[in-house]
């Protein structure tokens, strides 16, 4: 579905066909971007993908609901990540929004510590599709890949949500000011 929007000057923009392009104005530096974004609060999640016996997961804060009809979710993954290959090959990914008390899972999937099998931390099983599922997450979703967008050093993956489970009595684990929030004792992230 595309949407034609009327502009003030009478022109029309079809948003389904506008490719990303370079900005013609100077932009802020990557450090300034990170410093500015640090003041916001984000739900911490783990995105995961599986293909041909290999599974990969990573901690993310860049995801959001995109549409209710159909139910779509968008995630942002570093273009150099192995996860990009697994999502492209399997045409699927899963997302588990973490609850307070699941900081260790977030840390492990962010690459902290020496864990040869990151999926040994937390109660992981699989969706009927074969995608990894965190059983005790605040919200777990299984998605079928329906689109992607190259966005500079990241890839935006759009998934149709095919399965979902939630733990409504739990509270979201948040990330703000480079630390977890909503926990008993905030832990600073090492950069």
């Amino acid at each position: 579905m595309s949407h034609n929007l009327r502009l003030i000057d009478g022109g029309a923009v079809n948003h389904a066909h506008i490719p990303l392009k370079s900005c013609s104005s100077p932009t802020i530096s990557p450090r300034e971007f990170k410093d500015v974004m640090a003041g916001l609060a984000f739900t911490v999640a783990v995105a995961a993908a599986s293909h041909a016996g290999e599974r990969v997961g990573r901690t993310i804060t860049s995801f959001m609901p995109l549409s209710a009809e159909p139910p779509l979710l968008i995630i942002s993954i570093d273009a150099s990540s192995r996860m990009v290959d697994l999502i492209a090959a399997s045409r699927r990914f899963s997302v588990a929004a973490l609850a307070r008390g699941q900081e260790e899972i977030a840390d492990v999937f962010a690459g902290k510590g020496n864990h040869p099998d990151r999926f040994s931390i937390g109660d992981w099983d699989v969706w009927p599709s074969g995608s990894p599922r965190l059983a005790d997450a605040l919200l777990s979703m299984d998605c079928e890949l329906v689109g992607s967008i190259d966005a500079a050093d990241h890839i935006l993956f759009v998934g149709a949500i095919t399965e979902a489970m939630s733990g409504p009595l739990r509270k979201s684990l948040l990330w703000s000011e480079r630390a977890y929030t909503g926990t008993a004792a905030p832990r600073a992230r090492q950069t």
Side-chain angles (χ1 to χ4, degrees):
M1 171 186 287
S2 64
H3 300 281
N4 288 316
L5 302 177
R6 291 273 169 218
L7 299 177
I8 293 171
D9 65 6
V13 175
N14 182 330
H15 283 275
H17 302 290
I18 297 178
L20 294 178
K21 61 178 185 164
S22 297
C23 181
S24 59
S25 303
T27 62
I28 62 175
S29 72
R31 172 50 55 198
E32 289 172 306
F33 173 79
K34 290 176 183 177
D35 289 345
V36 169
M37 292 296 118
L40 299 176
F42 298 96
T43 301
V44 180
V46 173
S50 172
H51 181 70
E54 180 182 2
R55 61 185 179 170
V56 173
R58 60 182 302 125
T59 301
I60 63 170
T61 55
S62 298
F63 72 102
M64 66 178 226
L66 189 59
S67 169
E69 292 183 30
L72 299 176
L73 176 76
I74 191 165
I75 63 172
S76 177
I77 303 295
D78 186 309
S80 66
S81 170
R82 175 70 176 146
M83 187 171 204
V84 167
D85 298 328
L86 291 177
I87 292 172
S90 68
R91 311 285 301 159
R92 302 199 69 79
F93 61 88
S94 60
V95 176
L98 301 182
R100 293 179 191 177
Q102 294 183 314
E103 295 85 353
E104 181 182 17
I105 296 169
D107 285 346
V108 165
F109 283 90
K112 295 180 183 177
N114 185 17
H115 294 278
D117 179 12
R118 293 177 178 181
F119 290 94
S120 67
I121 307 300
D123 185 11
W124 290 91
D125 56 22
V126 295
W127 289 102
S129 69
S131 293
R133 180 177 77 90
L134 182 59
D136 57 352
L138 173 75
L139 171 64
S140 291
M141 296 165 285
D142 190 26
C143 300
E144 179 181 318
L145 182 65
V146 295
S148 64
I149 302 166
D150 289 336
D153 61 354
H154 279 65
I155 309 277
L156 304 178
F157 290 106
V158 178
I161 303 169
T162 59
E163 303 266 355
M165 294 177 48
S166 64
L169 299 178
R170 305 189 77 194
K171 303 261 186 202
S172 296
L173 178 62
L174 301 176
W175 182 256
S176 182
E177 299 293 336
R178 296 183 171 93
Y180 297 117
T181 64
T183 62
R187 297 175 0 179
R189 179 179 181 193
Q190 298 171 350
T191 54

